[in-house]
Amino acid sequence: MSGRDRYANSARAPPPRGDRGGGRPNRSAPPRGGGGGGPRGEGRTNNGGDDYSEASGPIDPNMPEWWNAKKKAERRQREEERRMAVREENERSKMGYAPRRNGEGGGRGNARVVAVSNGSADDRVSQKAGAADVGARHVSDFDDTKDKSALRKKMFMDGGAAAGGGDDRLRKIATADEELEGRSLWDLVDRGTLMVGCCLILIVVIAVTIPVALISEDEPYVAPPVPDPPSASPTMARQQVYWDIFDRLQRIAGGPDVLGDPNTAQNRALNWIVFEDGMELGPGKDHLHQRFVLMVIYFISGPWTPVEGRLEWGSPVHECDWEGITCKDVEELEAELEGKISELLESGREDGVKIDVPQRIINRLELRQRLVSGEVPGEFSLLYYLQHLDLENNQLVGALPSPLYKLFNLQTLFLEQNQLTNIDAVGEYRYLEHLSVSKNAFQGPLPESFKQLKYLKTLYLHTNAFTGQVFDILKDFKNLELLDIAFNKFSGTLPVELGEMSNLTSVFLGHNEFEGTLPVELGRCPNLKEFQIDASHKIGGPIPTEFGKLSNLEFLKLDTCAFTGVLPTELAECQKLYFLDVNSNELGGRIPTEYGRLGNMKTLGLANNDFIGGIPAELGQMAALEKAYFQNTDMEGVMPQEICNLRDRGNQTVLEELVVPCDVECEIPTCCTRCS
């Protein structure tokens, strides 16, 4: 009688439903699970043996409650023991033992399953103790043996031999372990593989070492400088001087409201000075004002087109080294201005605003072709000691701001090739000597304020839409040296006062609506080198013979007008003359033979007139002649060989173009280039 039956009989209770006898375990049952699978109370049994699934045996409702509780406890205990057996079997499998098949002889690995399947509680306890002893022995062997191969051999001897010879795989593993015993790493590694690896390592070392050695020969290694220890935050350091600089700048920036407004160029320039400028100027620097004004101008009109290789505005150097800026020492400028610097220091700008005059003063500012856009910044006037301002070929529009006229010390102002429309107050520049406002959008009469520019030496007004009688304003400009008023709509006559401008060197009057004749008084301008009045159909009469007195005359262009008469013989006295163009007039007569003495002549234009006779052979003496035009005249005869010789001088062509009337006999193309 099993222990459970004795326990049940001692309790004087009827046996439960179903066979609970303690038969032998069913060896054909799976080692890792019992019966089970049916509904509660209909569990499967193994050949009348005790079922070790908790849900497999019914609980007898005829038995007392304590009896049912005991039975449930026993079932739970059997289930727990079964799970422990399965876990130990899995551990044995991991340690090298082959899993037991159904029906094999009992080794250690099967002893626990037999113990679990036995219906006797005492047998289960004894089998459990035996299994624990076996597990402990194997664990002890594992702990005492450090070599894994020895462990595999021992498990094979204990488990595999008891199973009737064990598994062939375990024998192969044991044999391989014995072969590996006592062999070093050198014996185990393939010799060829090892040699290939060593060669690869050697190649890498050489590939790295040789370039480093070559670089070291060309440029010896220089240890990098030791960085300076960290300093206080620059932002915090500059924050401490912010308000000091603010106080120094507000009086020239339009007041604290303007300077403090983040939307203004003045505020941007302030923040740049304090936090971004590499110079890190303090409030006591003498060029703080000057640097601030330049950056205000930049933020209003910029960004500008950079110039390659030049120091741009905002570079961390003195502003006198920036592109387009020229400075002079205050002592040098003091001498040039005849003591005016002291006056500037005391009075400042005419409206009372003054900046600190630094030791190095900006006297020339050139921003040509930098794409400065918008209106001309009035802040230019804060540089009231400025002498030269060049804003040519930019994108300036509108009128010159009135503060800009406070640059009373300005001597040069170039505003050519913009879109300006108003310079009415230009007379404020009373010391101005050079003015260029060509190629803008000016219209109407010349402003009366021009009369105040008594020191003017050069004046460029060409390519605008000015109208009216310009010489009513300009006739008293005694210092004028260059006058270019071409391509406008000026009208009236040319005044005799032109002859009183003794300093004139260049006069360009073409493409206007002038009328009348050329004043003979022009012959009293001994320095005149260039005179041009073309495309003026109302200018006519004879060409003044007084032009022959202009010994410095080099360039004379009188084409497309209404000149009559003959060519003045006196022009042959202008030995420096290299350009003569009287095309498209009403001139007649013969070409003076004296013109052969004009040895510097390069371009001779006599076409589209009424000249008669033949082409003088004396013109072959013009050794520098490059272009000659005689077409559309009444000239005839044979082209002189002396002139043809100018076409070929030692295989070097000098006379490039020779155009004649078709009535003139001339060999083409060896002598003449074409006829018309």
Side-chain angles (χ1 to χ4, degrees), residues 91 188 203 280 562 635:
E91 291 175 2
L188 299 177
I203 292 172
E280 294 189 353
M635 302 177 73

Side-chain angles (χ1 to χ4, degrees), residues 267-315:
N267 182 265
R268 293 179 65 188
L270 167 66
N271 283 279
W272 181 86
I273 288 283
V274 175
F275 299 113
E276 300 177 32
D277 186 10
M279 292 286 288
E280 294 189 353
L281 300 185
K285 286 293 184 178
D286 66 335
H287 61 117
L288 174 65
H289 283 177
Q290 181 173 265
R291 197 173 182 87
F292 170 76
V293 171
L294 291 175
M295 290 309 296
V296 171
I297 295 172
Y298 177 81
F299 285 128
I300 290 177
S301 305
W304 304 334
T305 303
V307 179
E308 185 176 357
R310 305 293 182 86
L311 288 172
E312 287 303 310
W313 287 34
S315 300

Side-chain angles (χ1 to χ4, degrees), residues 42-101:
E42 299 178 0
R44 293 165 53 189
T45 60
N46 294 319
N47 296 332
D50 197 11
D51 187 6
Y52 40 80
S53 175
E54 183 176 355
S56 62
I59 300 175
D60 193 344
N62 297 323
M63 299 300 292
E65 182 177 354
W66 61 267
W67 187 91
N68 286 325
K70 283 292 183 179
K71 292 299 180 180
K72 290 181 181 180
E74 290 175 1
R75 290 175 183 169
R76 283 194 295 269
Q77 183 178 359
R78 289 196 302 272
E79 181 68 18
E80 182 64 26
E81 290 173 354
R82 184 189 65 79
R83 291 174 182 169
M84 289 180 62
V86 172
R87 283 198 296 269
E88 290 175 0
E89 181 68 20
N90 291 339
E91 291 175 2
R92 289 173 56 83
S93 298
K94 294 179 182 177
M95 296 172 64
Y97 283 85
R100 297 289 162 237
R101 299 179 176 86

Side-chain angles (χ1 to χ4, degrees), residues 52 78 249 360 393:
Y52 40 80
R78 289 196 302 272
L249 296 178
R360 298 176 65 187
N393 196 5

Side-chain angles (χ1 to χ4, degrees), residues 231-257:
S231 58
S233 171
T235 303
M236 295 298 297
R238 296 296 292 170
Q239 186 69 42
Q240 297 175 1
V241 300
Y242 179 89
W243 291 110
D244 294 335
I245 295 178
F246 186 96
D247 293 339
R248 285 291 309 279
L249 296 178
Q250 63 172 320
R251 59 186 175 87
I252 67 169
D257 293 339

Side-chain angles (χ1 to χ4, degrees), residues 56-298:
S56 62
I59 300 175
D60 193 344
N62 297 323
M63 299 300 292
E65 182 177 354
W66 61 267
W67 187 91
N68 286 325
K70 283 292 183 179
K71 292 299 180 180
K72 290 181 181 180
E74 290 175 1
R75 290 175 183 169
R76 283 194 295 269
Q77 183 178 359
R78 289 196 302 272
E79 181 68 18
E80 182 64 26
E81 290 173 354
R82 184 189 65 79
R83 291 174 182 169
M84 289 180 62
V86 172
R87 283 198 296 269
E88 290 175 0
E89 181 68 20
N90 291 339
E91 291 175 2
R92 289 173 56 83
S93 298
K94 294 179 182 177
M95 296 172 64
Y97 283 85
R100 297 289 162 237
R101 299 179 176 86
N102 294 337
E104 290 183 351
R108 292 189 190 90
N110 217 30
R112 285 189 295 272
V113 178
V114 174
V116 173
S117 302
N118 198 319
S120 171
D122 295 337
D123 292 341
R124 283 196 303 274
V125 173
S126 62
Q127 292 293 339
K128 179 178 179 183
D133 179 64
V134 172
R137 179 151 48 89
H138 284 295
V139 172
S140 175
D141 291 342
F142 178 79
D143 293 338
D144 296 338
T145 305
K146 297 181 179 179
D147 192 348
K148 293 183 179 180
S149 63
L151 176 61
R152 291 194 189 99
K153 288 191 292 182
K154 183 173 183 61
M155 295 175 66
F156 171 74
M157 296 301 295
D158 292 344
D167 199 327
D168 291 340
R169 185 174 62 85
L170 294 177
R171 291 193 185 91
K172 292 179 181 179
I173 294 174
T175 303
D177 290 343
E178 289 177 356
E179 292 177 354
L180 294 177
E181 282 189 30
R183 300 182 65 181
S184 63
L185 180 62
W186 180 261
D187 296 328
L188 299 177
V189 177
D190 181 70
R191 299 294 193 276
T193 304
L194 184 62
M195 292 301 294
V196 171
C198 292
C199 291
L200 290 176
I201 294 174
L202 182 60
I203 292 172
V204 172
V205 171
I206 293 174
V208 173
T209 304
I210 291 177
V212 172
L214 294 176
I215 294 174
S216 301
E217 291 177 2
D218 297 337
E219 299 180 3
Y221 173 74
V222 178
V226 178
D228 296 331
S231 58
S233 171
T235 303
M236 295 298 297
R238 296 296 292 170
Q239 186 69 42
Q240 297 175 1
V241 300
Y242 179 89
W243 291 110
D244 294 335
I245 295 178
F246 186 96
D247 293 339
R248 285 291 309 279
L249 296 178
Q250 63 172 320
R251 59 186 175 87
I252 67 169
D257 293 339
V258 175
L259 189 59
D261 186 351
N263 297 318
T264 63
Q266 289 82 353
N267 182 265
R268 293 179 65 188
L270 167 66
N271 283 279
W272 181 86
I273 288 283
V274 175
F275 299 113
E276 300 177 32
D277 186 10
M279 292 286 288
E280 294 189 353
L281 300 185
K285 286 293 184 178
D286 66 335
H287 61 117
L288 174 65
H289 283 177
Q290 181 173 265
R291 197 173 182 87
F292 170 76
V293 171
L294 291 175
M295 290 309 296
V296 171
I297 295 172
Y298 177 81

